[in-house]
Amino acid sequence: MEQLSYGAFSTDLHQRQTGQRAPTQVSIEVTRRCPLECQHCYNNLPMGDQDARSREMTTEEHFKMLDELVDMGCFWLLYTGGEIFARKDFLEIYTYAKQKGFLITLFTNGTLINEKIADYLVEWPPFAIEITLYGRTRETYEALTMIPGSYDRCLRGIKLLKERNLPLKLKTVATSINKHEVVAMRQFAEEELGVEFKIDGQINPRIDCSQSPLAVRLTPEEVVALDMHTPKGVSEYRRLAKHDLERPPNLSQVDTLYFCGGGMESFAINAYGEMGICVLSQQETFDVRQAGLKQAWEHSLHSVRMRKRSRVTKCVECRIQSLCAMCPANGEMENGDRETPVSFLCNVAHLRAMVIEAEVPTHGECEFCAGGSEHGALVESARRITSREIDVESWAGPQQILPILNNVGVAAGGCGGCGRH
Amino acid sequence: MKGELRQVDGKKPYEPPSLKTINLRPEEAVLGHCKTSTGGGINIGCQFFTCSSVGS
């Protein structure tokens, strides 16, 4: 029988879908409860949060939703949390999805994985399992997760999956608490375990509007130093910058507020049965328990996805959009407005461009462009990175955990100011 | 002629379906996950139609 590589298959499927609105991918958040209390997390809730638990979709509601997803043509499915294994019925839901034929990826912190779960996953293998590693030492890992014993439990989970040759990938979220162990984590994953490793330097405020995760966010200078730490990173950013500069600005070619695949080929369902553009964009979500997925996709989410942008920001004519993580969800979380540019992300993008010596044509009033108020600081940051004055390999651990900033008046679980919490 | 495929009236000629096997290799995923690196191992978040909330 003829063989086809997965890469060719996936590329072909995505190309066929270009420009068409059809939901082939869905992210399902099964719970926001988690046994860890990571300081940077955007949505975690305590394991014992009975209110959250009572609002979660039931097992039967998950089954019904999976039936609907099959009818809608969904193919790729991501289960995420919170912590997916915090739900006692997760394997039951997962098995139902497997029997339906979805290609399933699991996001987990690994701390609740035991032999029984690992053996079960051998019997019903997912497409991929991604475990987030928060440190290479117990001290660092648990400084971020705030839970004693969690480091050993995570390593046990990794070991159980690896021993069974399951499709494991590791990743980390680089923060001010664990940045000095990122290199060691990469070595552990790639050299000791032989698995893929990814670093995410992006931290968002919480979806309940709390800004608390930003207290452990890396500085733009640190984010870019980490990006450019490997030759592969440098060459990839050069490729993206070249691509951007050779073409008209992408955003000027669309007039919708959202410009991503969210609402076009993908959507997210949160733990409470609400559909949104993605797991981050939660200001406008739609209850699918009563109306059903198809109705929400074809009407409510469609109207959000097709909404026109209200103004022309500096992002619209920007020529380094591929170096920037700005999107409506990030604007929503950081500024409370989907269109207002996020200064942190703009800073990071311009610094990336400067480090790889990509020219940035003017694009409105941008403080990071030549002549802007922040341009001088940007030049100095780029110098420190390229001269290796900032050396990722010699980063030290934090002297102390700094108090949470930007969190004054924030009640537990949210801001109380946006009308949703 | 029996078995010969011919283009008629500008329509795409009929191609009989064929079975193919695909080895599911997550390392060949074209798109990365939201909140994690995208293809190529760098972290740029969701961009245009290359955005994907599910690694696929």
Side-chain angles (χ1 to χ4, degrees), chain B residues 18-48:
Chain B
S18 62
L19 286 176
K20 292 175 185 170
T21 58
I22 300 165
N23 194 2
L24 299 178
R25 296 172 63 89
E27 63 274 22
E28 292 180 12
V30 176
L31 301 181
H33 293 278
C34 183
K35 294 284 291 172
T36 63
S37 305
T38 54
I42 61 164
N43 170 37
I44 52 167
C46 307
Q47 289 290 331
F48 305 90

Side-chain angles (χ1 to χ4, degrees), chain A residues 34-35 72 151 186 203 237 278 289 336 356 365 372 394:
Chain A
C34 181
M72 291 169 73
Y151 178 66
R186 181 189 289 282
I203 288 175
Y237 280 110
C278 69
R289 281 168 149 153
I356 60 172
E365 286 188 25
S394 62

Side-chain angles (χ1 to χ4, degrees), chain A residues 2-4 6-7 10-11 14 25-27 76 130 169 200 204 240 250 259-261 321-322 324 352, chain B residues 19-26 28 30 33 35-37 40 42-44 47-49 51-54 56:
Chain A
E2 190 184 342
Q3 295 268 336
L4 184 65
Y6 177 77
S10 181
T11 302
H14 285 298
Q25 308 163 53
V26 61
S27 301
W76 286 285
E130 296 194 6
K169 297 181 185 184
D200 188 354
N204 308 98
L240 289 168
N250 288 317
F259 46 82
C260 58
Q321 286 161 12
S322 290
C324 187
R352 282 172 177 153
Chain B
L19 286 176
K20 292 175 185 170
T21 58
I22 300 165
N23 194 2
L24 299 178
R25 296 172 63 89
E28 292 180 12
V30 176
H33 293 278
K35 294 284 291 172
T36 63
S37 305
I42 61 164
N43 170 37
I44 52 167
Q47 289 290 331
F48 305 90
F49 296 106
C51 164
S52 168
S53 55
V54 182
S56 54

Side-chain angles (χ1 to χ4, degrees), chain A residues 321-361:
Chain A
Q321 286 161 12
S322 290
L323 307 186
C324 187
M326 176 60 193
C327 70
N330 280 319
E332 176 184 312
M333 295 176 92
E334 191 127 349
N335 296 326
D337 171 59
R338 286 177 265 207
E339 294 180 76
T340 303
V342 174
S343 184
F344 181 91
L345 300 176
C346 190
N347 189 348
V348 167
H350 281 75
L351 190 50
R352 282 172 177 153
M354 190 168 282
V355 168
I356 60 172
E357 297 176 334
E359 190 188 339
V360 184

Side-chain angles (χ1 to χ4, degrees), chain A residues 33 46-55:
Chain A
R33 292 175 298 118
M47 283 291 275
D49 188 328
Q50 291 306 315
D51 176 53
R53 189 174 184 164
S54 68
R55 292 172 54 219

Side-chain angles (χ1 to χ4, degrees), chain A residues 228 237-238 240-242 244-247 249 314-324 345-372 375 378-379 382:
Chain A
M228 306 299 170
Y237 280 110
R238 285 210 168 111
L240 289 168
K242 185 169 180 284
D244 269 0
L245 293 169
E246 285 173 353
R247 288 162 178 77
K314 65 176 177 176
C315 299
V316 173
E317 290 295 326
C318 178
R319 303 298 295 268
I320 52 168
Q321 286 161 12
S322 290
L323 307 186
C324 187
L345 300 176
C346 190
N347 189 348
V348 167
H350 281 75
L351 190 50
R352 282 172 177 153
M354 190 168 282
V355 168
I356 60 172
E357 297 176 334
E359 190 188 339
V360 184
T362 54
H363 54 107
E365 286 188 25
C366 176
E367 65 270 35
F368 297 103
C369 283
H375 187 71
L378 199 77
V379 171

Side-chain angles (χ1 to χ4, degrees), chain A residues 21 38 49 67 110 113 135 143 145 171 246 258 268-269 309 420:
Chain A
R21 187 169 183 267
C38 298
D49 188 328
D67 291 340
I113 293 176
T145 66
K171 58 191 178 187
E246 285 173 353
Y258 285 91
I269 300 291
R309 64 168 170 254
R420 284 179 61 90

